[in-house]
Amino acid sequence: MSFFSVSAIGQIESALYPNFDHLYCKYNFKYGPDWVIVNGLEDGLTQMSRTSTSATFSQAMYSSGTFSRTCVWNFPIDVSFKSTNAFGWPQLVVCVYGLDELGRDVVRGYGAVRLPMTPGRHVLYIPTVVPLATSPFHELLSWITGRLPEYLDHNFIAQAKGREVTRVKSQGALKVVVDIATKDIEKFGLQVSSKK
Amino acid sequence: MAEVFCIGTILGASGFPKPELCAKFAFVAGDGWDIIEGEDSGQTQVDVPGEDDRYTVWSHPVDVHYTTKTIAGWPKLIFQVYHQDMFGRNELYGYGFVHVPTTPGTHHLDVVTWRPAGSFTDQVWAYFLGATPQLKSLDLIHNPSDRFRLQTVAMGKYIYN
């Protein structure tokens, strides 16, 4: 049975949402039909975390450089895939939820990122988006009832089809640090980097 | 027979006059190239940035598996960027293209875009109605002006037999 393996070892480190607090994250992996998870959890749920009380300047790419509070999860990710085909390279899909002022669970962002292909350590910033309500009235109604618009299938953010009719608002970002290791990928004739 | 995997993400855009944007993209390759798996065209979501106006986020995944017998007609990625206002009207903001990198590995590509300026009357119309001149055929380039920026991350892989 000839296949190549890819391992991702790392953590969902933190979230940067300037206006929101009490956040937790659900993550899962989305991959093509030729991929199989060998080891590790395919999905998971982090703890709910609160931002630190001291305001600090954030160094993240998508912050406007003003006071931004980081919400730290430090959630470990350890998963191995095997595959015969590079098509459908796995993506890490994240959904961030939080508590609003009245203590209800609302969605704060959806995001997805491809696992890097080159072996080594990578720091990834995932910008997240939230679907927009269809009209200002619906937006007010959803804020009152605490039911912000959500995606029916949270993997929607990781697929290409059907997104042309959606309107989203981008807010916040996640920081993920991951180490990638590959095995036998050269035997498949695939080159992942230009260095030999 | 060589195979080329173009796996990546269209990250987003920056530098446009207004940030509520979507992009239509397509891979264009020569005759000798065949697509085995994946979609070679698509359209991203419309993003209305919440806090940071300088960056429009699409994060649109792209995954195409080509086979080819020839290097001629190496694939390129063409873009049309549209602005959607709150009434749902679409205004063309730019055209751009970039060649898929020819070396294996992870690449970060910036795509510059431009928009046809048209005559003075066209520009007055465009200012009031939001209807800018558009190209009839995407292969033509005529009187371009205004350069803005898109960003994509391509992770390309190659198989050679």
Side-chain angles (χ1 to χ4, degrees):
Chain A
M1 174 65 66
S2 64
F3 51 85
F4 64 88
S5 348
V6 175
S7 302
I9 301 158
Q11 52 167 316
I12 301 183
E13 195 176 284
S14 55
L16 301 133
Y17 284 80
N19 300 326
F20 303 120
D21 201 347
H22 290 94
L23 303 168
Y24 67 95
C25 167
K26 267 172 60 164
Y27 75 90
N28 69 301
F29 288 95
K30 181 162 194 283
Y31 40 88
D34 293 323
W35 290 75
V36 163
I37 288 198
V38 173
N39 226 341
L41 298 171
E42 182 171 347
D43 49 30
L45 188 60
T46 70
Q47 77 273 21
M48 180 175 295
S49 165
R50 293 168 57 180
T51 58
S52 60
T53 44
S54 62
T56 49
F57 279 101
S58 163
Q59 324 248 311
M61 246 156 71
Y62 303 118
S63 144
S64 47
T66 54
F67 290 105
S68 174
R69 304 178 303 175
T70 322
C71 199
V72 172
W73 290 316
N74 254 128
F75 194 81
I77 294 183
D78 194 343
V79 66
S80 295
F81 298 90
K82 73 175 187 195
S83 171
T84 52
N85 188 358
F87 180 76
W89 194 275
Q91 299 182 62
L92 174 65
V93 182
V94 292
C95 314
V96 179
Y97 297 90
L99 296 182
D100 67 359
E101 298 89 2
L102 298 173
R104 300 169 296 200
D105 249 335
V106 292
V107 68
R108 293 301 188 202
Y110 294 97
V113 73
R114 289 245 182 230
L115 290 184
M117 295 190 179
T118 45
R121 187 157 215 246
H122 305 266
V123 177
L124 309 168
Y125 289 98
I126 312 178
T128 56
V129 299
V130 104
L132 277 180
T134 38
S135 69
F137 172 69
H138 277 110
E139 199 173 322
L140 180 68
L141 197 62
S142 61
W143 180 78
I144 292 175
T145 57
R147 296 210 294 261
L148 267 50
E150 294 184 25
Y151 284 131
L152 209 51
D153 174 17
H154 58 268
N155 279 332
F156 183 74
I157 195 76
Q159 73 189 34
K161 281 203 194 355
R163 281 167 57 146
E164 58 261 18
V165 292
T166 58
R167 281 171 64 98
V168 297
K169 179 167 104 150
S170 53
Q171 60 186 26
L174 253 69
K175 182 174 174 200
V176 173
V177 177
V178 71
D179 267 89
I180 300 287
T182 60
K183 176 172 178 283
D184 288 341
I185 215 169
E186 305 285 330
K187 294 207 183 101
F188 260 73
L190 293 169
Q191 276 179 278
V192 238
S193 64
S194 310
K195 334 184 256 199
K196 242 331 186 170
Chain B
M1 280 292 272
E3 296 177 49
V4 175
F5 292 92
C6 306
I7 303 172
T9 316
I10 303 181
L11 291 176
S14 62
F16 286 85
K18 299 212 189 88
E20 298 88 22
L21 307 167
C22 72
K24 281 172 67 158
F25 67 92
F27 279 91
V28 172
D31 288 331
W33 293 73
D34 291 314
I35 293 195
I36 302 184
E37 289 169 302
E39 302 280 326
D40 62 347
S41 63
Q43 187 174 331
T44 68
Q45 62 204 13
V46 176
D47 178 40
V48 176
E51 293 126 3
D52 198 347
D53 272 4
R54 299 167 303 170
Y55 210 75
T56 307
V57 169
W58 292 321
S59 283
H60 194 96
V62 167
D63 204 342
V64 182
H65 182 184
Y66 277 109
T67 63
T68 180
K69 300 189 185 69
T70 160
I71 290 194
W74 193 272
K76 34 185 209 235
L77 197 48
I78 61 176
F79 290 94
Q80 301 170 57
V81 182
Y82 289 90
H83 162 70
Q84 191 180 83
D85 64 8
M86 55 186 215
F87 302 113
R89 294 180 304 192
N90 288 322
E91 180 187 347
L92 174 79
Y93 256 22
Y95 296 108
F97 89 95
V98 73
H99 271 105
V100 167
T102 47
T103 50
T106 305
H107 310 270
H108 187 104
L109 308 168
D110 278 343
V111 183
V112 288
T113 60
W114 51 269
R115 171 169 79 176
S119 65
F120 177 70
T121 319
D122 289 336
Q123 292 188 40
V124 171
W125 277 118
Y127 181 76
F128 286 109
L129 295 180
T132 51
Q134 302 188 25
L135 292 179
K136 269 196 166 150
S137 156
L138 291 181
D139 299 322
L140 278 178
I141 303 177
H142 176 70
N143 270 350
S145 75
D146 308 316
R147 301 231 149 208
F148 308 117
R149 228 166 19 103
L150 282 182
Q151 292 189 21
T152 72
V153 171
M155 296 181 253
K157 304 176 66 174
Y158 300 71
I159 300 188
Y160 294 108
N161 275 354

